[in-house]
Amino acid sequence: MGSLPIPDSRFAHLDEYPMDEAFMIMRDFALDAHPHKISLGAGVYRDNEAKPWILPSVREAEQLIVQDPNTDHEYQPMAGHPPFIPLAQELTFGPLMASLSNRIVSCQTISGTGACHFAFRFISEVTSAKRVWISNPTWGNHHLLWDISAPQVKQQLYPYYNAKTCSLDFEAMIQTLDAEAQPGDIILLHACAHNPTGIDPTPEQWAVIADVCERKQLFPLFDSAYQGFASGDLDQDAYAIRLFAERGFELAVAQSFSKNFGLYGQRVGALHIVVSRSDAVPSTQSHLTKLVRGEFSTAPVHGARIVSRILSDAALRKQWYGDLQVMSSRLKDMRRALYDELRRLGTPGSWEHIVDQIGMFSYTGLNEKQVRRLRDEQHMYMMSSGRASIAGLNTSNVAAAAAAIDAVVRAEKQA
């Protein structure tokens, strides 16, 4: 009996989608056999031995959870692990909870990526927004998430980074929004530790941004991925969100616990929506719950239990504050060490922006050609935009990293 001919595949017409650059860099770094290679690409915290760091508070909370005979693996409510939701709200809004508690709608999400996805889809649908304003540059996944979650919403860019000065292009940002934004547009804002630049507005500048949003009737949507991790101060890192909430804005916050709890693989996140009237809460909650049911029914519980256990236990919470200080202080120390070493080498250019920026990432000012030479000649990996993960630096490699940068900068000058 002859074999049947193989039919054409229904999927043969698909173009291969390019691999995400961050994960491609991680793959290439893993394949590099050089003994002194340096990874400044991955957006994950590493300790001074370049190893993953489980926060001591997280380790202790996890042991308590596992040892608890009442711990089970049952489904959670669709809105999320019940103790987790109010604690996540309190972390974000702090003392404003007294006045906002009856106007906040929340659900647990698949980390910050899932929170952004839900926010983009839900807000665009219920507000019928035609455009969203996104900083130039932004976290690369923001654009993909909008394409997938709300393709009908046109993505507009507002200026953010001044390449000549390696600083915030604040005047251009405000002028663009004032001239071109329309009532009903969404604006995507980074709550702190802007990714990829590491450059945040000052409190005074945030007030001006809020003025523009109010004047132009924009809907603020905050991506909050680094609260406490950026500065070590939970209140300071939530300043912008609370400023807008206190001024009476309806807004949304996509919250991630990957960085500040080190729970990268547990995918713990939340979406919070502040509405102007309490009678809008039940219907808003029902629509969010519908999205949850249609996508994953209930969120993973283990990571949410860890967060809840820490935030609800005074001793563990205090210990977690110390863990935040360890991480944020090490990043600041590595920024200073890299800057000092570049200064010692006399590397051409101005490098003050490295210590002026905040959080995990630095927009180094290196161009794509220099980044490629760093990889090919120096075995040092970072994003083609020049974004470097400061967490990849440590006392053993920071001098080598500075020497590598010095080498490629001088080579370009001499070419």
Side-chain angles (χ1 to χ4, degrees), residues 247-318:
R247 288 183 54 163
F249 282 91
E250 288 194 312
L251 57 87
V253 180
Q255 182 182 23
S256 170
F257 294 85
S258 292
K259 306 298 191 300
N260 54 8
F261 281 82
L263 294 170
Y264 300 96
Q266 294 298 337
R267 316 310 293 144
V268 189
L271 172 62
H272 309 293
I273 298 175
V274 178
V275 298
S276 60
R277 293 167 32 184
S278 59
D279 60 0
V281 166
S283 58
T284 305
Q285 187 73 65
S286 70
H287 279 266
L288 273 186
T289 304
K290 176 186 173 184
L291 281 181
V292 172
R293 180 57 169 160
E295 297 211 4
F296 52 82
S297 289
T298 68
V301 69
H302 184 63
R305 279 181 173 144
I306 292 172
V307 171
S308 302
R309 190 65 179 254
I310 291 172
L311 294 182
S312 62
D313 183 295
L316 282 175
R317 189 165 182 147
K318 182 178 180 180

Side-chain angles (χ1 to χ4, degrees), residues 8 48 79 81 159 171 185 204 208 216 218 228 237 274 289 296 307-308 325 383 397 403 411 414:
D8 289 338
N48 197 49
H81 183 50
E171 288 188 11
D185 287 353
E204 294 75 19
V208 176
K216 304 295 290 189
L218 308 182
D237 293 345
V274 178
T289 304
F296 52 82
V307 171
S308 302
Q325 289 295 325
M383 299 287 278
N397 70 14
Q414 295 167 4

Side-chain angles (χ1 to χ4, degrees), residues 74-371:
E74 293 298 298
Y75 289 126
Q76 298 298 297
M78 283 186 282
H81 183 50
F84 169 77
I85 296 299
L87 291 165
Q89 292 175 342
E90 185 271 334
L91 197 67
T92 297
F93 297 101
L96 297 181
M97 284 301 298
S99 59
L100 293 179
S101 60
N102 66 337
R103 294 193 288 113
I104 302 178
V105 179
S106 301
C107 70
Q108 188 180 338
T109 62
I110 310 299
S111 200
T113 301
C116 285
H117 163 60
F118 265 31
F120 297 174
R121 179 175 174 182
F122 179 73
I123 300 302
S124 64
E125 288 179 356
V126 301
T127 66
S128 300
K130 300 293 190 298
R131 302 191 302 178
V132 57
W133 289 91
I134 304 173
S135 67
N136 183 21
T138 194
W139 178 43
N141 209 25
H142 280 151
H143 296 296
L144 177 60
L145 282 165
W146 276 107
D147 289 340
I148 291 173
S149 309
Q152 77 281 8
V153 176
K154 184 179 180 181
Q155 299 179 40
Q156 300 282 125
L157 300 180
Y158 60 84
Y160 196 86
Y161 179 70
N162 185 324
K164 292 181 179 179
T165 60
C166 296
S167 63
L168 178 63
D169 200 354
F170 184 68
E171 288 188 11
M173 172 186 178
I174 298 303
Q175 289 172 0
T176 298
L177 292 173
D178 248 335
E180 301 180 30
Q182 299 296 320
D185 287 353
I186 302 166
I187 181 168
L188 179 58
L189 300 164
H190 298 229
C192 66
H194 182 274
N195 181 1
T197 68
I199 302 168
D200 289 344
T202 65
E204 294 75 19
Q205 289 171 330
W206 274 120
V208 176
I209 295 169
D211 290 340
V212 172
C213 290
E214 184 174 12
R215 185 165 61 250
K216 304 295 290 189
Q217 300 176 46
L218 308 182
F219 184 92
L221 197 169
F222 287 92
D223 187 349
S224 180
Y226 301 97
Q227 187 185 0
F229 182 92
S231 69
D233 187 320
L234 292 162
D235 295 327
Q236 179 178 325
D237 293 345
Y239 175 84
I241 296 172
R242 295 176 188 178
L243 171 68
F244 277 67
E246 194 168 27
R247 288 183 54 163
F249 282 91
E250 288 194 312
L251 57 87
V253 180
Q255 182 182 23
S256 170
F257 294 85
S258 292
K259 306 298 191 300
N260 54 8
F261 281 82
L263 294 170
Y264 300 96
Q266 294 298 337
R267 316 310 293 144
V268 189
L271 172 62
H272 309 293
I273 298 175
V274 178
V275 298
S276 60
R277 293 167 32 184
S278 59
D279 60 0
V281 166
S283 58
T284 305
Q285 187 73 65
S286 70
H287 279 266
L288 273 186
T289 304
K290 176 186 173 184
L291 281 181
V292 172
R293 180 57 169 160
E295 297 211 4
F296 52 82
S297 289
T298 68
V301 69
H302 184 63
R305 279 181 173 144
I306 292 172
V307 171
S308 302
R309 190 65 179 254
I310 291 172
L311 294 182
S312 62
D313 183 295
L316 282 175
R317 189 165 182 147
K318 182 178 180 180
Q319 186 179 17
W320 176 59
Y321 291 161
D323 296 340
L324 291 174
Q325 289 295 325
V326 168
M327 293 188 289
S328 60
S329 296
R330 201 186 83 75
L331 294 179
K332 292 173 187 175
D333 289 346
M334 288 302 101
R335 286 183 181 277
R336 173 58 61 178
L338 178 61
Y339 169 75
D340 288 346
E341 191 64 20
L342 290 169
R343 287 289 303 273
R344 187 189 70 80
L345 293 169
T347 306
S350 174
W351 301 98
E352 283 80 6
H353 56 278
I354 290 176
V355 289
D356 291 339
Q357 296 163 2
I358 190 172
M360 178 171 284
F361 301 115
S362 171
Y363 229 43
T364 60
L366 298 171
N367 59 45
E368 188 171 353
K369 181 180 178 181
Q370 291 169 327
V371 170

